[in-house]
Amino acid sequence: MTATTSAPTTRRLTTARAMSEGIAQEMGRDEGVFVMGEDVGAYGGIFGSTGGLLEKFGATRVLDTPISETAFIGLGIGAAVEGMRPIVELMFADFFGVCMDQIYNHMAKIHFESGGKVRVPMVLTTAVGGGYSDGAQHSQCLWGTFAHLPGMKVVVPSNPADAKGLMISAIRDDSPVVYMFHKGVMGLPWMAKNPRATGPVPEEPYGVPIGEAAVVREGADVTVVTLSLSVHHTLDVAEEMSSRGVGVEVIDLRSLVPLDTATVLNSVHKTGRLVIVDEDYQSFGLSGEIAARVAEVDPRMLRAPLARVAVPDVPIPYARTLEQAVLPTRERITAAIDGVLSQ
Amino acid sequence: MDSDIRVELYRMMVLIRTYEEAILREYHADKQPVFDIGAGLVPGEMHLSAGQEPVAAGVCAHLGSGDAVTAPHRPHHVAIAHGVNLDAMTAEIFGRETGLGRGRGGHMHLFDPAAHFSCSGIIAEGMPAALGQAFAFQRRGTDRVAVAFAGEGAANQGAFHESLNLAALWKLPVVFVIEDNDWGISVPRSASTSVPSNGVRGAAYDIPGERVPDNSVEGVHQAAGRAVARARAGQGPSLIEVHTLRLWGHFEGDPQAYRDDLDGVPGRDPIPTYESTLTEAGLLDPERISKIHEDASVRVEQAISFAKDSPIPSGEQARDHVFAQEAHR
């Protein structure tokens, strides 16, 4: 990479650069790793996830595909079955409708249907999330949909260091991993971004374990379980609330499958109060799942009813005022925390 | 055509038919007097391939165990012709722990990594994986090929067309084989397909396409020989459609009331036809024919016994194998 800081531990990268660095290091280590998708070559990925890879590894290992998601995701599956390690990009998660059969009926099920005899070690990367007025077909998170269907691991990094570590872990994993990155955390120059979209990233290869959440801020009064861009909004809120003397503990799930239930329960046990912030649709999804896992173990851990901040069950609207009204904004998160604390 | 190859094609078709007749017998044996699809030692949907033997035998004669094959929901003939482990395949159909998928897959989901064989119950969606296998073979500098089988109904699916374009674009060593058995369950080809031959659809992707019109195993063998040689030589994919025959129902239990061609079906059975051809050519005689049938029967009954004698998976293990065990890397 071309980062020019002296101390590796303080070197700062955008999430996009961290992702592509993780891919590049694995491609250098393992000939079987290759990248495939729409505009992953000369463009470097519409959201920067494959920047610089074509220049480094050439068109035999970084392949632009036709707009044929069923064919090229299926191609990735076949190559993985034969022992290669494809990284296949679905440009927007919203596009899963044209290729979901390959994803959930094939990529996710072959290992099980073969009684564990056929492995599908592939990574399906895909961009998620809204907040920039891209409308109902280009703004969804949908991670609850993927996590609902058995057979694929699902990871959702929120920051550069996790983006690199989860990418390396995903590539090395022998199961299919869906790697969902929010456009708002990539650090793109052409989209408003949170300052945490750029952060320190170790230069050497390392893995972040799949299935481990991170307590990204400790606090005694209320637990907020969240992921992806909402982690940043929640940290902003937590910072503001600390000046009011409120201790907000923030959990970044990082992985949905497997889900780190223990870290959630430990925190809720400590604080007794829970807010779940999820940019996916509210009903039948992640926020309900977290609530159920707490209730299944001991609902008496909660000293007040929990609150959910999610997208109400409407498609993501286009107009800024309408879109901001349904996304989990700092204002909605603040109100939810205040509500839980007031009971 | 080489005499040994001709007899071998016949032998393979007999083995396949013997197998399908045995599965038919076992499937219905404990579904009497009232048919219940979920009952018996072999429950669930059962799509048998009688009549389509020439396609599997003719194509797979050109393949080795290093070549990959994907098949659709009606997979037995293709699996057998490609040398899938017959005992383990049968045990899978019987839902046993010794099955190809330890009883997790069933007859539409057979995976034999040693033979690079897989199948899928979703129309046309088993085809794209063949591209990836071919891609891996190509990248490793081998001359191995991948063959994707599908029915004529699949040729109207997006996955088929996407696969043809991508395989042609990247010159992947793939052979696409369409088995036209006239029927998409109950819908005749005339009501589903705009072209008289799916072979012409190859032209849309600038690849060779042809139709074998008569369910002739030798016609299939010759067409497949050209296509496989082309793929091995790095010249890219080909498309072959075979007008074959669905001798029985779409699945077992299908009353076929919609079918207006049933009277003529027995006369179109490809195995007696080929038997006569080879007898007239002096390659078969009654004694040899009977020996081939007997050998097939012994082999098939051995597989059925293996399956029946195999342990049934415990319900306590139903959650196993969702994910690969920890990476060893």
mmCIF file of all heavy atoms in Angstrom, chain B residues 145-161:
data_model
loop_
_atom_site.group_PDB
_atom_site.id
_atom_site.type_symbol
_atom_site.label_atom_id
_atom_site.label_comp_id
_atom_site.label_asym_id
_atom_site.label_seq_id
_atom_site.Cartn_x
_atom_site.Cartn_y
_atom_site.Cartn_z
ATOM 1 N N VAL B 145 -12.938 -30.390 -18.383
ATOM 2 C CA VAL B 145 -14.120 -29.653 -18.824
ATOM 3 C C VAL B 145 -15.262 -29.827 -17.819
ATOM 4 O O VAL B 145 -15.227 -30.714 -16.959
ATOM 5 C CB VAL B 145 -14.598 -30.141 -20.212
ATOM 6 C CG1 VAL B 145 -13.476 -30.037 -21.230
ATOM 7 C CG2 VAL B 145 -15.125 -31.567 -20.147
ATOM 8 N N ALA B 146 -16.267 -28.983 -17.958
ATOM 9 C CA ALA B 146 -17.478 -29.093 -17.142
ATOM 10 C C ALA B 146 -18.686 -29.193 -18.071
ATOM 11 O O ALA B 146 -18.748 -28.490 -19.085
ATOM 12 C CB ALA B 146 -17.621 -27.887 -16.228
ATOM 13 N N VAL B 147 -19.591 -30.083 -17.746
ATOM 14 C CA VAL B 147 -20.798 -30.262 -18.542
ATOM 15 C C VAL B 147 -22.014 -29.935 -17.674
ATOM 16 O O VAL B 147 -22.154 -30.471 -16.568
ATOM 17 C CB VAL B 147 -20.910 -31.704 -19.072
ATOM 18 C CG1 VAL B 147 -22.165 -31.853 -19.928
ATOM 19 C CG2 VAL B 147 -19.676 -32.080 -19.879
ATOM 20 N N ALA B 148 -22.863 -29.055 -18.184
ATOM 21 C CA ALA B 148 -24.072 -28.668 -17.463
ATOM 22 C C ALA B 148 -25.294 -29.240 -18.179
ATOM 23 O O ALA B 148 -25.572 -28.882 -19.324
ATOM 24 C CB ALA B 148 -24.170 -27.149 -17.389
ATOM 25 N N PHE B 149 -25.993 -30.155 -17.531
ATOM 26 C CA PHE B 149 -27.231 -30.727 -18.069
ATOM 27 C C PHE B 149 -28.428 -29.939 -17.557
ATOM 28 O O PHE B 149 -28.455 -29.513 -16.399
ATOM 29 C CB PHE B 149 -27.392 -32.185 -17.610
ATOM 30 C CG PHE B 149 -26.494 -33.172 -18.304
ATOM 31 C CD1 PHE B 149 -25.184 -33.342 -17.895
ATOM 32 C CD2 PHE B 149 -26.966 -33.947 -19.348
ATOM 33 C CE1 PHE B 149 -24.345 -34.265 -18.515
ATOM 34 C CE2 PHE B 149 -26.148 -34.883 -19.985
ATOM 35 C CZ PHE B 149 -24.833 -35.034 -19.567
ATOM 36 N N ALA B 150 -29.432 -29.803 -18.406
ATOM 37 C CA ALA B 150 -30.689 -29.182 -17.975
ATOM 38 C C ALA B 150 -31.788 -29.606 -18.952
ATOM 39 O O ALA B 150 -31.503 -30.054 -20.064
ATOM 40 C CB ALA B 150 -30.564 -27.666 -17.954
ATOM 41 N N GLY B 151 -33.019 -29.440 -18.531
ATOM 42 C CA GLY B 151 -34.141 -29.769 -19.394
ATOM 43 C C GLY B 151 -34.478 -28.634 -20.350
ATOM 44 O O GLY B 151 -33.933 -27.533 -20.245
ATOM 45 N N GLU B 152 -35.388 -28.897 -21.278
ATOM 46 C CA GLU B 152 -35.714 -27.863 -22.263
ATOM 47 C C GLU B 152 -36.412 -26.686 -21.606
ATOM 48 O O GLU B 152 -36.313 -25.558 -22.093
ATOM 49 C CB GLU B 152 -36.544 -28.448 -23.416
ATOM 50 C CG GLU B 152 -38.065 -28.434 -23.250
ATOM 51 C CD GLU B 152 -38.562 -29.504 -22.285
ATOM 52 O OE1 GLU B 152 -37.772 -30.373 -21.892
ATOM 53 O OE2 GLU B 152 -39.757 -29.447 -21.909
ATOM 54 N N GLY B 153 -37.090 -26.926 -20.501
ATOM 55 C CA GLY B 153 -37.709 -25.810 -19.783
ATOM 56 C C GLY B 153 -36.672 -24.832 -19.263
ATOM 57 O O GLY B 153 -36.917 -23.626 -19.167
ATOM 58 N N ALA B 154 -35.487 -25.342 -18.923
ATOM 59 C CA ALA B 154 -34.429 -24.498 -18.373
ATOM 60 C C ALA B 154 -33.912 -23.491 -19.391
ATOM 61 O O ALA B 154 -33.367 -22.450 -19.023
ATOM 62 C CB ALA B 154 -33.282 -25.367 -17.871
ATOM 63 N N ALA B 155 -34.070 -23.819 -20.674
ATOM 64 C CA ALA B 155 -33.546 -22.923 -21.707
ATOM 65 C C ALA B 155 -34.356 -21.634 -21.810
ATOM 66 O O ALA B 155 -33.994 -20.736 -22.569
ATOM 67 C CB ALA B 155 -33.504 -23.643 -23.054
ATOM 68 N N ASN B 156 -35.450 -21.547 -21.069
ATOM 69 C CA ASN B 156 -36.216 -20.298 -21.018
ATOM 70 C C ASN B 156 -35.945 -19.519 -19.733
ATOM 71 O O ASN B 156 -36.613 -18.526 -19.462
ATOM 72 C CB ASN B 156 -37.714 -20.591 -21.151
ATOM 73 C CG ASN B 156 -38.021 -21.284 -22.464
ATOM 74 O OD1 ASN B 156 -37.455 -20.930 -23.495
ATOM 75 N ND2 ASN B 156 -38.872 -22.287 -22.426
ATOM 76 N N GLN B 157 -34.990 -19.976 -18.953
ATOM 77 C CA GLN B 157 -34.641 -19.312 -17.709
ATOM 78 C C GLN B 157 -33.468 -18.357 -17.930
ATOM 79 O O GLN B 157 -32.563 -18.647 -18.722
ATOM 80 C CB GLN B 157 -34.204 -20.345 -16.651
ATOM 81 C CG GLN B 157 -35.353 -20.981 -15.879
ATOM 82 C CD GLN B 157 -35.847 -20.094 -14.751
ATOM 83 O OE1 GLN B 157 -35.829 -18.865 -14.868
ATOM 84 N NE2 GLN B 157 -36.308 -20.701 -13.686
ATOM 85 N N GLY B 158 -33.460 -17.295 -17.132
ATOM 86 C CA GLY B 158 -32.353 -16.340 -17.227
ATOM 87 C C GLY B 158 -31.006 -16.973 -16.941
ATOM 88 O O GLY B 158 -30.002 -16.635 -17.581
ATOM 89 N N ALA B 159 -30.963 -17.879 -15.973
ATOM 90 C CA ALA B 159 -29.679 -18.477 -15.583
ATOM 91 C C ALA B 159 -29.011 -19.161 -16.771
ATOM 92 O O ALA B 159 -27.790 -19.131 -16.912
ATOM 93 C CB ALA B 159 -29.882 -19.472 -14.444
ATOM 94 N N PHE B 160 -29.813 -19.776 -17.627
ATOM 95 C CA PHE B 160 -29.273 -20.435 -18.818
ATOM 96 C C PHE B 160 -28.607 -19.411 -19.736
ATOM 97 O O PHE B 160 -27.460 -19.573 -20.170
ATOM 98 C CB PHE B 160 -30.411 -21.164 -19.544
ATOM 99 C CG PHE B 160 -30.080 -21.649 -20.936
ATOM 100 C CD1 PHE B 160 -29.351 -22.813 -21.131
ATOM 101 C CD2 PHE B 160 -30.513 -20.941 -22.049
ATOM 102 C CE1 PHE B 160 -29.051 -23.258 -22.419
ATOM 103 C CE2 PHE B 160 -30.223 -21.387 -23.333
ATOM 104 C CZ PHE B 160 -29.492 -22.545 -23.513
ATOM 105 N N HIS B 161 -29.316 -18.331 -20.011
ATOM 106 C CA HIS B 161 -28.785 -17.338 -20.951
ATOM 107 C C HIS B 161 -27.595 -16.583 -20.368
ATOM 108 O O HIS B 161 -26.618 -16.319 -21.063
ATOM 109 C CB HIS B 161 -29.912 -16.385 -21.374
ATOM 110 C CG HIS B 161 -30.947 -17.088 -22.202
ATOM 111 N ND1 HIS B 161 -30.826 -17.240 -23.558
ATOM 112 C CD2 HIS B 161 -32.084 -17.730 -21.852
ATOM 113 C CE1 HIS B 161 -31.857 -17.940 -24.022
ATOM 114 N NE2 HIS B 161 -32.635 -18.241 -22.998
#
